[in-house]
Amino acid sequence: MVAAMFVDLVYLAVVLEDTLEEIKGTIPQLRKLHSEDKCREEKKLGHLIRAIEILPPFSAMGYFNVERSTISSLVGSILTYVIILYQYQ
């Protein structure tokens, strides 16, 4: 059960980080559209670009950012805890 939860956490962190990268990767295309578009949609595109640029990283209820590096830190902490517990048996 714990292993399944950990796998879900890893999957979630990877998907969230990839999604954020994809969203931020659309900024150059939006800028190009924004420079070519001279109608009323230009203002909406400008707001969308600014909203994406200030998009915060995904977080765990504001306690820490959920990234791939978070998973390696989590694994290190869990392994350290398990090794210490194993030494006391």
Side-chain angles (χ1 to χ4, degrees), residues 28-59:
Q29 291 125 358
L30 288 173
R31 285 193 191 282
K32 183 179 177 187
L33 253 166
H34 187 256
S35 66
E36 294 172 355
D37 194 12
K38 298 298 179 198
C39 63
R40 68 186 184 103
E41 298 297 320
E42 181 178 350
K43 193 172 186 178
K44 290 181 183 178
L45 275 174
H47 289 302
L48 180 62
I49 290 170
R50 283 189 289 286
I52 290 174
E53 286 176 337
I54 62 169
L55 195 64
F58 292 106
S59 69

